[in-house]
Amino acid sequence: MENKAIFMHGTNDMIWKEIPVPEIGEEDVLIKVEAVGICGSDMHYYQHGKIGGFIVDGDFILGHEAAGKVVEVGAKVKDLKVGDRVAMEPGVTCGKCEFCVTGKYNLCPDVEFFATPPYHGVFANYVKHPASKCFKLPEHVSSIEGALVEPLNVGLHAANQGNVKLGDTVVVFGTGCIGLCSLLASKAMGASQIIVVDILQNRLDKAKELGATHVINAKNEDVVAKVMELTNNLGAEVVIETAGSEITLKQTVDVLKPAGTIVSVGMTPKDSIEFNFMKLQSKEGTIKSVFRYRNLYPTGINAIASGSIKIADIVSHKFDFEKTKEAFDYVAENPGEVVKAVIVMQ
Ligand SMILES: NC(=O)c1ccc[n+]([C@@H]2O[C@H](COP(=O)([O-])OP(=O)(O)OC[C@H]3O[C@@H](n4cnc5c(N)ncnc54)[C@H](O)[C@@H]3O)[C@@H](O)[C@H]2O)c1
Ligand SMILES: [Zn+2]
Ligand SMILES: [Zn+2]
């Protein structure tokens, strides 16, 4: 078996290497990778070589949103067999710390997450992964959909943290992949009115297509005034921030309904920003945040399988594995066109 992998090789460059097919342990499976989503974080590493304290050192394999086919199973693996297609949950955790044993394993300090230095990602023909982190896909769920369970789970976790429920009004700042996943999750969880905000019209159009009730282009509209107009001057029960900008994070409290919840998902370039806590207090508002997701792979897969979340609709571009570098460059150069790109290995 040949195992070709593409490594980022400094910023804005990639090289192909032939690497050994991983040897699996008793509890692992070997996966032939079939689809990998290109995430904003992959793009960030590719263009800047680091995200915060995570610094790419040497040639590095990107990619963490992945699905593929099981081609070998470890001796102790019972629930998967050769030929099954699975979505891979990228974070492997210690299983022993307080956070792991209380189910909040996304907060495990020893997590090894695909494509987060120093752990390589999945832009390769074959990867190994613990069977317990591989979730079987029903026959009618494609590998592309399987790969997109990963970002979908961020949206599901955001909607859960905000406690989105039937009849709610939700504002989503940012309609990149994560904002769109938050929109899909909020809609599936019963929100009646979903107002989305962005500055890129192509993404707002996509959001409208996916079920946003109102779209606001922050370039030419007063966001706060418009949300208040759309909500009888009350604001939204849940405000999900995925734009990761200082401006939008500040605006969250302005569009929040009294007793509502803000969910912080986007990562701002600066760690500390100004925020009006007195306004939050006068509204008795709650701020929650999201670090990836936990315990959501079965939920995400079931929601896709049942048709309640049409995750494939967020994909705007598909590229062959051989064209991975071209894909990264295309995504970097065409933000006004690309909504979500996926690499397909066939
Ligand atoms: N907390 C987590 O666990 C977690 C997980 C995944 C991603 N993220 C973060 O979530 C954010 C969104 O991820 P993504 O992949 O969708 O990124 P993205 O860059 O594709 O999307 C961000 C969107 O925000 C829009 N935006 C920027 N400034 C704006 C403004 N002033 N007003 C309105 N919209 C504005 C952009 O046009 C873009 O469409 C990123 O910051 C990412 O790092 C966090
Ligand atoms: Zn991602
Ligand atoms: Zn742990």
Side-chain angles (χ1 to χ4, degrees):
M1 280 195 295
E2 183 187 49
N3 194 13
K4 272 197 331 178
I6 190 158
F7 290 70
M8 68 171 274
H9 179 63
T11 51
N12 298 301
D13 197 12
M14 287 191 180
I15 52 165
W16 289 96
K17 293 188 193 184
E18 171 92 36
I19 58 172
V21 174
E23 272 182 40
I24 59 169
E26 290 182 323
E27 321 246 13
D28 297 333
V29 292
L30 184 67
I31 309 283
K32 185 170 194 302
V33 182
E34 293 190 332
V36 185
I38 298 181
C39 175
S41 65
D42 295 318
M43 291 306 303
H44 204 89
Y45 284 124
Y46 181 60
Q47 295 175 286
H48 307 287
K50 60 174 185 158
I51 296 180
F54 293 101
I55 298 162
V56 175
D57 182 17
D59 293 345
F60 185 63
I61 307 177
L62 296 167
H64 61 269
E65 304 175 352
K69 192 176 269 178
V70 175
V71 292
E72 195 185 331
V73 299
K76 288 192 178 160
V77 174
K78 292 201 181 73
D79 300 331
L80 291 172
K81 57 180 189 320
V82 170
D84 286 344
R85 280 181 315 107
V86 295
M88 284 178 263
E89 176 160 6
V92 178
T93 47
C94 81
K96 299 184 185 113
C97 70
E98 176 183 337
F99 306 102
C100 281
V101 299
T102 55
K104 297 186 174 173
Y105 63 83
N106 56 320
L107 305 175
C108 174
D110 295 322
V111 63
E112 299 178 6
F113 201 93
F114 280 145
T116 301
Y119 307 103
H120 286 292
V122 294
F123 280 116
N125 295 126
Y126 296 96
V127 296
K128 73 168 178 182
H129 207 49
S132 62
K133 294 284 179 185
C134 294
F135 296 85
K136 192 173 168 179
L137 298 173
E139 211 157 294
H140 66 284
V141 173
S142 71
S143 294
I144 289 181
E145 291 170 310
L148 297 175
V149 174
E150 203 278 337
L152 172 60
N153 284 348
V154 179
L156 288 171
H157 189 37
N160 281 340
Q161 290 288 72
N163 190 25
V164 173
K165 56 188 188 313
L166 194 64
D168 277 354
T169 290
V170 178
V171 170
V172 179
F173 282 102
T175 52
C177 176
I178 299 299
L180 294 174
C181 287
S182 303
L183 156 69
L184 289 170
S186 299
K187 189 177 151 211
M189 287 163 70
S192 300
Q193 192 182 26
I194 306 175
I195 304 164
V196 301
V197 185
D198 206 289
I199 45 180
L200 294 172
Q201 194 56 42
N202 64 320
R203 294 180 173 202
L204 290 169
D205 294 344
K206 178 60 93 174
K208 191 87 208 206
E209 188 190 311
L210 296 178
T213 52
H214 304 276
V215 302
I216 302 176
N217 190 328
K219 260 196 181 155
N220 37 38
E221 271 184 287
D222 178 335
V223 174
V224 176
K226 188 68 194 176
V227 172
M228 293 323 259
E229 181 196 319
L230 291 168
T231 58
N232 293 323
N233 264 330
L234 287 170
E237 278 90 5
V238 185
V239 179
I240 302 177
E241 203 297 314
T242 79
S245 88
E246 200 167 337
I247 305 168
T248 51
L249 200 50
K250 279 184 190 168
Q251 285 172 332
T252 55
V253 69
D254 298 326
V255 299
L256 186 69
K257 188 173 181 173
T261 302
I262 294 167
V263 185
S264 162
V265 186
M267 298 177 188
T268 51
K270 278 199 280 172
D271 286 347
S272 298
I273 66 149
E274 215 176 278
F275 184 84
N276 191 338
F277 276 98
M278 289 308 103
K279 193 159 197 174
L280 180 78
Q281 192 188 67
S282 68
K283 292 185 175 188
E284 209 176 77
T286 300
I287 300 188
K288 289 229 167 184
S289 58
V290 157
F291 186 68
R292 298 172 177 155
Y293 43 77
R294 52 180 172 255
N295 308 308
L296 280 169
Y297 263 76
T299 308
I301 292 170
N302 290 344
I304 295 168
S306 67
S308 49
I309 290 187
K310 296 194 173 16
I311 195 68
D313 291 352
I314 72 169
V315 177
S316 60
H317 292 73
K318 293 179 198 170
F319 296 87
D320 290 337
F321 185 36
E322 290 69 32
K323 299 277 182 219
T324 299
K325 182 182 183 312
E326 289 82 348
F328 271 74
D329 292 336
Y330 195 88
V331 173
E333 283 154 24
N334 298 282
E337 189 197 320
V338 178
V339 177
K340 179 71 179 178
V342 179
I343 302 291
V344 184
M345 282 89 158
Q346 228 48 281

